[in-house]
Amino acid sequence: MAEPRTPAEVVARAARATDLADLDGAVSDCFACPRLVSWREEVARTKRAAFREQHYWGRPVPGFGAPDARIGILGLAPAAHGGNRTGRIFTGDRSGDVLFAALHRAGLANQPTSVAADDGLTLTDTRIFAAVRCAPPDNKPTPVERDTCAPWLHREVALIRPTLRVVVALGAFAWAAWWPVLRDVYGVRPPSPRPVFGHAAHWSGTAAPELLGCYHVSQQNTFTGRLTPGMLDDVFARAKQLAGVD
């Protein structure tokens, strides 16, 4: 099947995905955003010195986790030397170290670390995905890149819709990316004005998952103490409660 190379081809290919495995394969073959393609491949060629002996993934990064997830975790985009290197979201970088340690404490991950795609990590009742599937320069996708990538997110949510009960948005970008999902997947008009993002912010609507805000697990937040392990624990405890996860 042809690799998507235009926004229209992304829309068409996402709509044809019959299950998560099909969607993940299609995501990994996307070439629709020239700037992101150039950047992810350049990073994979030049590498970071600490990883110079490793083979970088250098492609879009699909979602990861349980196909019957009741809790979704929505991030911004893969890290240049994390997911873009390992091929798994939040894997191989310090943001992932913080996130998966918290998921393990919450009983949602079988181990507290995520270092490689074949490290044996599994998630319970949880799936992680990003609003943008390629690593962007300076961690800043453009609005056009965000919108071009949106059909992958929308289709992923549609495929886990039967079980999905709560979405944790990591950061303001992910929080904003959720509102179009309401319209395109659930047929629900997004609230106006949009609820303001904040840590532990909570939006509840009808016929759609609950939405929880959480500061992003970036080093900027975790190294400065803006986001602490206890704050993460509280968010995931609330997510489990809302989702009915024991």
Side-chain angles (χ1 to χ4, degrees):
M1 197 169 292
E3 302 159 336
R5 293 183 177 273
T6 68
E9 289 174 354
V10 171
V11 171
R13 182 62 186 90
R16 290 198 304 271
T18 56
D19 55 29
L20 288 173
D22 184 25
L23 180 71
D24 292 349
V27 167
S28 300
D29 282 336
C30 187
F31 290 82
C33 297
R35 187 182 78 112
L36 298 186
V37 172
S38 177
W39 173 251
R40 78 194 192 203
E41 293 180 352
E42 174 66 17
V43 169
R45 283 193 300 270
T46 58
K47 306 181 180 180
R48 179 172 284 172
F51 307 125
R52 62 180 177 273
E53 302 302 324
Q54 297 184 19
H55 173 75
Y56 272 56
W57 172 253
R59 303 175 76 88
V61 181
F64 169 70
D68 57 351
R70 286 185 274 178
I71 299 170
I73 300 175
L74 177 57
L76 192 165
H81 301 282
N84 188 59
R85 173 174 61 89
T86 63
R88 191 171 71 193
I89 192 70
F90 281 113
T91 296
D93 60 35
R94 291 185 176 178
S95 294
D97 292 343
V98 173
L99 176 62
F100 287 105
L103 291 175
H104 183 255
R105 291 193 301 271
L108 299 173
N110 70 323
Q111 61 190 43
T113 58
S114 179
V115 297
D118 59 355
D119 63 6
L121 175 68
T122 60
L123 301 182
T124 301
D125 290 312
T126 305
R127 188 166 177 87
I128 305 175
F129 34 74
V132 174
R133 303 305 170 102
C134 290
D138 300 319
N139 291 320
K140 293 180 180 178
T142 67
V144 170
E145 290 163 349
R146 175 201 62 203
D147 294 346
T148 298
C149 208
W152 300 128
L153 171 63
H154 296 186
R155 185 58 180 155
E156 187 157 7
V157 172
L159 288 169
I160 63 173
R161 177 177 176 176
T163 59
L164 187 63
R165 298 292 177 264
V166 179
V167 172
V168 177
L170 298 178
F173 189 97
W175 180 267
W178 179 250
W179 307 120
V181 178
L182 290 183
R183 181 189 62 242
D184 292 353
V185 177
Y186 292 91
V188 173
R189 179 177 295 178
S192 181
R194 301 287 191 266
V196 176
F197 170 76
H199 185 78
H202 179 203
W203 175 84
S204 180
T206 58
E210 310 273 344
L211 180 65
L212 293 176
C214 179
Y215 290 148
H216 196 280
V217 288
S218 65
Q219 293 181 53
Q220 181 180 358
N221 288 333
T222 58
F223 281 15
T224 61
R226 187 174 189 236
L227 178 65
T228 66
M231 292 166 68
L232 269 176
D233 291 347
D234 289 345
V235 167
F236 287 127
R238 180 64 171 149
K240 288 178 64 178
Q241 179 187 42
L242 291 170
V245 175
D246 295 331

